[in-house]
Amino acid sequence: MSDGFKVLYYVNQFFGQIGGEDKAGMKPEFHSEKIGPALGFEQLLKGEGQVVGTIICGDNYFNENKEESLEYILNLVKQEAPDVFVAGPAFNAGRYGVACAEISRAVAEELNIPVVTGMYIENPGLDTCKQVAYVVSTSDNAGGMRKALPAMANIAYKLGKGLEIGSPEEEGYIARGMRKTIIVEKRGSLRAVEMLIKRLKGEEFETEMPMPVFDVVEPALAIKDLSKATIALCTSGGIVPAGNPDRIQSASAQKWGKYDVSGRDALNAPDFYTTHGGYDPVYANEIPDRVAPLDILKELQKEGYIGNVYEFFYTTTGTGTSVSNAVKFGTEIGKELKEAGVDGVILTST
Amino acid sequence: MKHLIITNNPLVAEKYENVLWTDGSVEKTLIIVRDFIHQGYELVSHPLAASLRMLFSPYRSIIIDKKKEKLNFEHAQIIEDSIIKYKKHMDLRKTDEKTRDDYKKIDLLLLEAALSEEQGKWY
Amino acid sequence: MRLEIGRINITDIQLGNETSVQNGVLTVDATSLIAKLKEDDRIKDIKIDIAKPGDKVRIIPVKDVIEPRVKISGGNNGFPGVTAKPAQCGEGRTHVLYGAAIVTVGDIVGFQEGVIDMWGEGAKWTPFSQTYNLTVDINVIDGLDPHTHEETVRLAGLRAAEFVGQAGKDLTPDEVLTYEMDSIFEETNKYPNLPKVLYAEMMITQGLLHDTYIYGVNAQTILPALLHANEELDGAVISGNCVAACDKITTYQHQNNSAILDLYAQHGKEINFMGCIMIPEHTTLSGKMRASDYTRKLVKMLGADAVVVSEEGYGNPDSDLLIICKKCEHEGVKTVLITDECAGRDGMSQPLADTAAEAVAVVSGGNVSHVVTLPPADKVIGNAEAIAVLAGGWEGALLEDGSLQCELNAVIGATSEIGYHNVTCRAY
Amino acid sequence: MVKEIERYGIPIVHMATITTISESVGANRIVPTVAIPHPVGNPSLKSEDEKIMRKAMVKRAVDALATEISEVTHFE
């Protein structure tokens, strides 16, 4: 067996047979034996691989002590140096899914070890790891274990043996969003004509290049009473305090800044200016409120038209900022605003 | 002259009078074009060429039209998308400097083809 | 209109003292061919060679690929409007040396790429590794301006195809294919219940090295034009586009346009195929609007229910493709698009920069950034130095063992946007 | 950014010049602005007039936050 490839397994306290919710606070532990799903897993590796141990960690502990847990687990993985890392399956369990996802991503990205995990398609951990790990699509509860494990083991086997992994449909994993160039039997024009005929007949057809789906967020409910509402001001127009203390990039922004404006009536020059690289800055530098109208909002507050202007003003630059960064900024800023109890947001863009 | 040519190609700058010469990269040239579009100028020629090979060109000339009252949203979107597309390619690649003189010539010839399409129009 | 294509199957190629086909073996008299081509006194030097499927041979930089043919009846021999007096294409009988191809080679400008590998990994990615190729390497006299240089090379290739094609003149074809279609009204009477389908073929038409010609007319100067499907299959359309290696439509691919052939195959069965709209891809935005409006109008005038739209090139033509798609879909005309994509080396990027919600049915010819490793060739036809151009723009392309890493975008016909090749992308 | 903030259930109004981009990034409440270099301002106006215009525009944005909508809405 010593010639076979090595698999290291991760499970939570429940599947690690430590206990239920009461044990969710346990710290990560390493066991050199095969526990829970890891036990059956080895039998599915066609005698060519062995599970060298099981890491068990409480779901709550992991989620509350992410950095520490990750560091500890990564060190363990480094020591054991497996050929393949396996986590879960987590089905639709949220905290377990996030743990599997974060660990999978860290192992794949930082240690460059191939990873297999399993999740239900709606598991909140999925997006974190599907690009770097093979995530087998599972049912939403542990009843799907018997189906999930063979699929995961089959991928682990191929990864361990250095074999090519087939398509998501063949192997049962969730597409990672990678566009793989392949040679197929039918030439493009024939595929086009067949697609056309299906379309004309009203039959189902599948495009080869799905357009990006813009997920739509339902409009939030309107503010009931403006005179009691706290309004926050945000801009992607790059208005920053003189000297740009946080070094917000003029383009392709990597970060956002927030500045206390509770004691100000306006974002006036020369205390503020624009660092945005995408437009003629003359007008904005003359009167920065032309980009981020703090002055008017303060007036409306004084008049009692709105209750309050939120004490912090948020800013970044829009030009060339990647979609993923924009999403990240929005998520971070939104979280702060939500926690601060802000009722509405004005975002200005140039 | 009705049109303005924004270019970093010295051959174009030598040959034409209505030129805004940008002493810099293609990306910088595209960004200058964008700034003009944001001020209300319109695109006459598309900011990108028609082949991948031409993306390697260190030179690019783009024709823009007179300033209009209102910003042309479609053109603003085209130039923004073009910059994204250009950057996406060139983040991984470099301009092809070895044959830069040939790129100069071809950029000029493609520009001339575009200008000839625009002859005899006034709108 | 009725066209008979008589295929004479070619199973080998060699150079010899006469130009003939015997038992499938095409023999080419290189000396006479060179003499013929050198009638054009702008040509200084011609090198003729052959490359067969499986040979460890690399051809670079390829300008065009042309199928050798001869006209037996109807119309004029050669390429009407270019190498022959104007005549109707698409009628009568044409003999084809099926399986043979003329491949023109030569630098017009320094940055040209376009590789055909006849063996191994590279062969998978180009359809022209499967043809018995006669390579024509063209050197012109000094001092020609780029336009004249390009024209000289283009005409030499067409004339070479005409010269070699003569070998099929008096032979009995192995197979005769018939393409017949009456007027749109008659066809619609014949098939009143079949959906009416058009093929909209976009062509690069933007200036030097970026041109396409119909009956010799530079298509940059046309409004979108309606062609009978037979015309393109019979030499009406030729390529003057020689920079977009992976997704240009070579003259050979116009002569054998797979989109036309596959639509034809369904004519009278599932669809009523009405013809081709040839659409210029302009570099100016007004040109793009005019051409897309005019296309929509032709589609409406002809009462089409659906249209297959193919692109040529990458970059500004993506705009035309999506504008045409939007305009047709808004008229209730169902579209299927054929294009290629740039998803980055790792395939993880968004394939298109432009998007349109209307583009619901798209065929992908593959990822132009997909990296392939081409092992060293025993013999290079053309300019070995041009191989460095393939690597141009990114590092680490020439490996220690002499293998070359390049993106598919350097390989002729790899990601064909008329769907000529078998490459695509799938989500993994 | 717009979408992610709204995902928290906080109404957000996007004041932007290129409203097509605004829609494509998923804004639901949109107030079209003047020009890219000065979205909420117009230097060609006299300063009193500019102020009136600016105030009206910001008020429109604030009112948009207090307006119940069910789909993408431009407040012009």
Side-chain angles (χ1 to χ4, degrees):
Chain A
M1 262 339 243
S2 56
D3 294 342
F5 60 88
K6 293 199 293 181
V7 173
L8 187 59
Y9 214 104
Y10 175 87
V11 289
N12 69 354
Q13 80 285 349
F14 178 74
F15 288 99
Q17 294 165 3
I18 307 277
E21 204 50 39
D22 53 321
K23 301 285 183 194
M26 73 171 278
K27 287 189 173 186
E29 288 172 5
F30 174 72
H31 296 261
S32 59
E33 57 270 30
K34 300 172 260 289
I35 301 169
L39 195 59
F41 200 79
E42 186 173 288
Q43 293 159 20
L44 296 165
L45 297 175
K46 306 176 190 177
E48 304 241 19
Q50 51 167 331
V51 177
V52 294
T54 315
I55 300 170
I56 307 172
C57 179
D59 283 336
N60 287 349
Y61 186 84
F62 181 88
N63 281 281
E64 284 157 18
N65 308 278
K66 259 185 206 168
E67 281 178 24
E68 200 187 309
S69 309
L70 269 179
E71 195 186 327
Y72 180 79
I73 291 167
L74 280 184
N75 272 329
L76 273 178
V77 179
K78 247 186 258 175
Q79 270 170 33
E80 294 300 318
D83 299 295
V84 183
F85 186 82
V86 180
F91 306 103
N92 200 25
R95 286 166 302 161
Y96 188 22
V98 169
C100 285
E102 297 268 358
I103 295 164
S104 295
R105 185 168 74 173
V107 170
E109 282 185 346
E110 291 177 35
L111 305 180
N112 224 356
I113 294 170
V115 178
V116 186
T117 180
M119 286 181 199
Y120 179 59
I121 188 88
E122 287 176 17
N123 192 305
L126 180 63
D127 283 342
T128 309
C129 66
K130 72 169 182 191
Q131 289 201 352
V132 290
Y134 288 96
V135 186
V136 165
S137 177
T138 72
S139 63
D140 62 354
N141 63 61
M145 184 68 91
R146 212 180 298 171
K147 259 185 95 178
L149 278 189
M152 288 170 64
N154 188 45
I155 294 175
Y157 171 79
K158 287 189 173 176
L159 290 170
K161 299 288 282 179
L163 302 173
E164 198 171 325
I165 311 287
S167 68
E169 297 78 32
E170 289 159 14
E171 307 278 2
Y173 64 92
I174 297 166
R176 292 170 300 163
M178 184 183 120
R179 303 287 296 167
K180 187 168 175 180
T181 300
I182 53 170
I183 292 178
V184 290
E185 198 184 316
K186 290 175 184 168
R187 63 182 178 188
S189 51
L190 187 58
R191 303 198 306 274
V193 172
E194 289 179 353
M195 198 185 289
L196 181 87
I197 291 171
K198 280 188 184 168
R199 232 195 131 178
L200 283 168
K201 287 184 167 172
E203 293 171 6
E204 268 198 37
F205 62 92
E206 204 175 328
T207 180
E208 296 179 0
M209 209 192 283
M211 292 292 131
V213 191
F214 295 106
D215 76 317
V216 183
V217 175
E218 289 286 308
L221 292 180
I223 298 173
K224 293 273 180 298
D225 184 356
L226 277 176
S227 68
K228 294 200 177 96
T230 300
I231 308 286
L233 179 61
C234 301
T235 187
S236 62
I239 301 292
V240 294
N244 191 9
D246 294 314
R247 302 258 167 272
I248 306 225
Q249 292 88 344
S250 62
S252 307
Q254 303 293 323
K255 56 180 163 190
W256 48 270
K258 66 168 180 180
Y259 303 102
D260 187 344
V261 289
S262 55
R264 307 190 65 90
D265 283 336
L267 297 175
N268 38 353
D271 296 358
F272 285 84
Y273 67 85
T274 181
T275 176
H276 200 291
Y279 59 86
D280 182 351
V282 174
Y283 309 109
N285 286 341
E286 218 167 71
I287 305 176
D289 290 281
R290 278 177 178 150
V291 174
L294 183 72
D295 58 342
I296 308 278
L297 281 173
K298 289 281 182 168
E299 273 185 39
L300 293 175
Q301 179 188 344
K302 276 187 199 129
E303 292 166 12
Y305 195 77
I306 59 174
N308 190 21
V309 179
Y310 182 54
E311 59 183 309
F312 288 103
F313 150 70
Y314 290 79
T315 183
T316 186
T317 43
T319 298
T321 299
S322 65
V323 174
S324 60
N325 268 347
V327 168
K328 184 167 157 264
F329 297 171
T331 311
E332 292 167 357
I333 295 171
K335 184 162 184 274
E336 290 204 18
L337 297 176
K338 180 74 187 169
E339 282 164 6
V342 165
D343 299 300
V345 180
I346 292 183
L347 171 69
T348 66
S349 288
T350 47
Chain B
M1 269 300 194
K2 183 173 166 250
H3 298 142
L4 181 63
I5 302 164
I6 300 180
T7 184
N8 65 344
N9 182 349
L11 284 185
V12 173
E14 262 168 47
K15 184 159 180 180
Y16 292 96
E17 280 174 7
N18 49 326
V19 161
L20 182 91
W21 159 259
T22 74
D23 184 13
S25 64
V26 171
E27 189 179 331
K28 190 176 156 196
T29 308
L30 291 174
I31 285 173
I32 290 172
V33 171
R34 182 197 48 204
D35 291 349
F36 272 89
I37 302 308
H38 284 180
Q39 289 168 46
Y41 289 81
E42 290 193 330
L43 285 167
V44 172
S45 63
H46 196 285
L48 295 176
S51 69
L52 274 163
R53 197 16 94 179
M54 291 306 291
L55 276 174
F56 291 91
S57 173
Y59 301 101
R60 185 82 188 129
S61 306
I62 297 150
I63 314 168
I64 62 170
D65 209 344
K66 289 189 302 253
K67 190 168 157 69
K68 301 288 194 303
E69 296 262 307
K70 262 187 93 178
L71 176 80
N72 187 322
F73 292 155
E74 276 171 21
H75 290 192
Q77 188 115 42
I78 288 169
I79 181 70
E80 297 283 357
D81 285 347
S82 298
I83 292 172
I84 292 171
K85 198 165 194 169
Y86 181 79
K87 278 176 62 98
K88 185 172 135 188
H89 280 278
M90 300 317 282
D91 282 351
L92 291 165
R93 302 173 175 86
K94 288 184 299 192
T95 50
D96 181 359
E97 299 295 334
K98 267 193 209 145
T99 48
R100 58 186 311 142
D101 286 344
D102 283 326
Y103 279 112
K104 262 185 219 170
K105 260 185 244 164
I106 296 299
D107 177 66
L108 171 66
L109 290 167
L110 292 177
L111 173 77
E112 284 175 344
L115 285 170
S116 72
E117 271 187 33
E118 286 297 301
Q119 276 172 8
K121 289 180 190 167
W122 193 273
Y123 58 80
Chain C
M1 201 177 268
R2 178 188 165 94
L3 173 68
E4 288 178 0
I5 296 277
R7 283 181 173 174
I8 296 153
N9 294 333
I10 300 300
T11 51
D12 202 359
I13 186 169
Q14 62 185 21
L15 299 178
N17 295 324
E18 53 165 23
T19 301
S20 66
V21 177
Q22 268 166 349
N23 301 321
V25 181
L26 169 63
T27 305
V28 177
D29 172 3
T31 316
S32 303
L33 173 57
I34 291 170
K36 167 94 176 162
L37 296 181
K38 284 180 98 171
E39 286 168 6
D40 183 341
D41 55 17
R42 299 171 295 186
I43 292 176
K44 185 164 78 185
D45 198 17
I46 298 273
K47 278 186 237 139
I48 303 289
D49 211 331
I50 53 176
K52 303 184 206 178
D55 289 353
K56 279 185 86 173
V57 171
R58 171 168 299 149
I59 315 172
I60 183 169
V62 173
K63 296 275 84 67
D64 196 11
V65 185
I66 308 124
E67 186 167 61
R69 295 175 163 200
V70 63
K71 197 79 192 169
I72 304 299
S73 64
N76 283 343
N77 189 40
F79 296 88
V82 186
T83 62
K85 281 188 182 155
Q88 181 67 55
C89 290
E91 285 179 330
R93 182 158 180 163
T94 302
H95 283 182
V96 170
L97 304 188
Y98 184 67
I102 309 298
V103 177
T104 53
V105 186
D107 286 311
I108 295 170
V109 289
F111 55 78
Q112 297 215 299
E113 58 184 16
V115 68
I116 294 175
D117 271 4
M118 299 302 293
W119 87 108
E121 175 68 13
K124 285 197 320 206
W125 300 103
T126 173
F128 301 111
S129 61
Q130 305 306 312
T131 45
Y132 290 86
N133 295 332
L134 183 84
T135 62
V136 181
D137 186 349
I138 303 141
N139 249 305
V140 300
I141 56 169
D142 294 340
L144 289 189
D145 68 73
H147 275 291
T148 315
H149 186 166
E150 188 276 329
E151 181 190 298
T152 307
V153 171
R154 173 160 35 91
L155 293 181
L158 301 174
R159 292 173 66 229
E162 210 178 304
F163 176 90
V164 174
Q166 290 290 340
K169 196 164 194 297
D170 300 319
L171 298 181
T172 308
D174 297 297
E175 186 185 5
V176 177
L177 304 169
T178 305
Y179 299 95
E180 186 169 15
M181 223 185 263
D182 289 328
S183 81
I184 287 172
F185 302 104
E186 285 162 305
E187 294 297 319
T188 306
N189 278 336
K190 261 191 254 175
Y191 310 113
N193 298 319
L194 292 182
K196 297 194 272 296
V197 177
L198 282 164
Y199 171 45
E201 181 178 0
M202 296 165 49
M203 310 163 288
I204 291 191
T205 55
Q206 305 199 341
L208 184 64
L209 310 181
H210 294 77
D211 283 323
T212 307
Y213 299 85
I214 304 176
Y215 290 107
V217 174
N218 183 338
Q220 191 186 357
T221 62
I222 68 165
L223 288 166
L226 189 65
L227 250 59
H228 191 288
N230 287 6
E231 294 181 85
E232 183 168 353
L233 297 179
D234 197 29
V237 186
I238 61 170
S239 171
N241 163 25
C242 42
V243 273
C246 64
D247 50 22
K248 75 171 179 184
I249 312 167
T250 59
T251 300
Y252 188 104
Q253 288 162 301
H254 284 298
Q255 293 169 307
N256 294 279
N257 189 315
S258 53
I260 296 178
L261 294 174
D262 289 338
L263 285 165
Y264 231 129
Q266 294 300 328
H267 178 65
K269 295 177 188 152
E270 298 278 3
I271 58 171
N272 176 8
F273 177 32
M274 296 191 294
C276 313
I277 304 175
M278 308 302 291
I279 308 169
E281 292 172 356
H282 294 282
T283 183
T284 59
L285 296 181
S286 58
K288 290 181 187 302
M289 293 319 285
R290 182 177 64 233
S292 53
D293 280 340
Y294 205 97
T295 300
R296 167 176 54 192
K297 183 208 69 183
L298 285 176
V299 166
K300 289 301 288 176
M301 261 178 82
L302 294 163
D305 299 298
V307 55
V308 173
V309 191
S310 68
E311 189 185 348
E312 185 177 22
Y314 186 89
N316 78 54
D318 298 6
S319 294
D320 304 59
L321 179 74
L322 292 177
I323 297 170
I324 291 167
C325 166
K326 281 185 206 171
K327 286 181 178 172
C328 289
E329 290 283 344
H330 290 173
E331 295 285 355
V333 176
K334 297 185 170 68
T335 61
V336 172
L337 313 181
I338 315 177
T339 180
D340 55 9
E341 58 188 280
C342 176
R345 299 245 159 81
D346 54 4
M348 294 304 283
S349 309
Q350 186 71 50
L352 293 176
D354 299 331
T355 54
E358 290 86 349
V360 293
V362 185
V363 166
S364 166
N367 176 8
V368 297
S369 301
H370 179 74
V371 176
V372 288
T373 305
L374 307 178
D378 286 349
K379 174 177 165 187
V380 174
I381 295 176
N383 176 4
E385 281 171 26
I387 291 168
V389 173
L390 291 189
W394 61 299
E395 287 161 0
L398 212 46
L399 306 182
E400 271 178 26
D401 65 352
S403 296
L404 178 83
Q405 273 191 342
C406 68
E407 296 179 48
L408 275 188
N409 71 49
V411 180
I412 293 285
T415 62
S416 168
E417 293 173 289
I418 59 166
Y420 194 85
H421 204 33
N422 298 45
V423 177
T424 189
C425 277
R426 281 223 185 113
Y428 263 61
Chain D
M1 249 164 90
V2 188
K3 240 178 356 200
E4 278 62 38
I5 293 174
E6 189 139 44
R7 226 187 277 281
Y8 287 99
I10 311 172
I12 179 165
V13 57
H14 195 202
M15 302 183 76
T17 308
I18 308 175
T19 52
T20 50
I21 293 181
S22 185
E23 279 195 36
S24 69
V25 300
N28 287 315
R29 294 176 169 88
I30 299 168
V31 171
T33 51
V34 179
I36 286 165
H38 44 82
V40 194
N42 190 347
S44 65
L45 297 177
K46 278 190 292 184
S47 75
E48 309 90 79
D49 293 344
E50 185 182 13
K51 189 69 187 290
I52 293 166
M53 185 279 292
R54 295 181 62 237
K55 189 155 182 183
M57 190 184 270
V58 176
K59 221 167 176 177
R60 214 179 310 140
V62 170
D63 289 342
L65 292 173
T67 308
E68 230 40 275
I69 57 165
S70 55
E71 56 180 2
V72 179
T73 309
H74 290 227
F75 295 86
E76 294 187 43

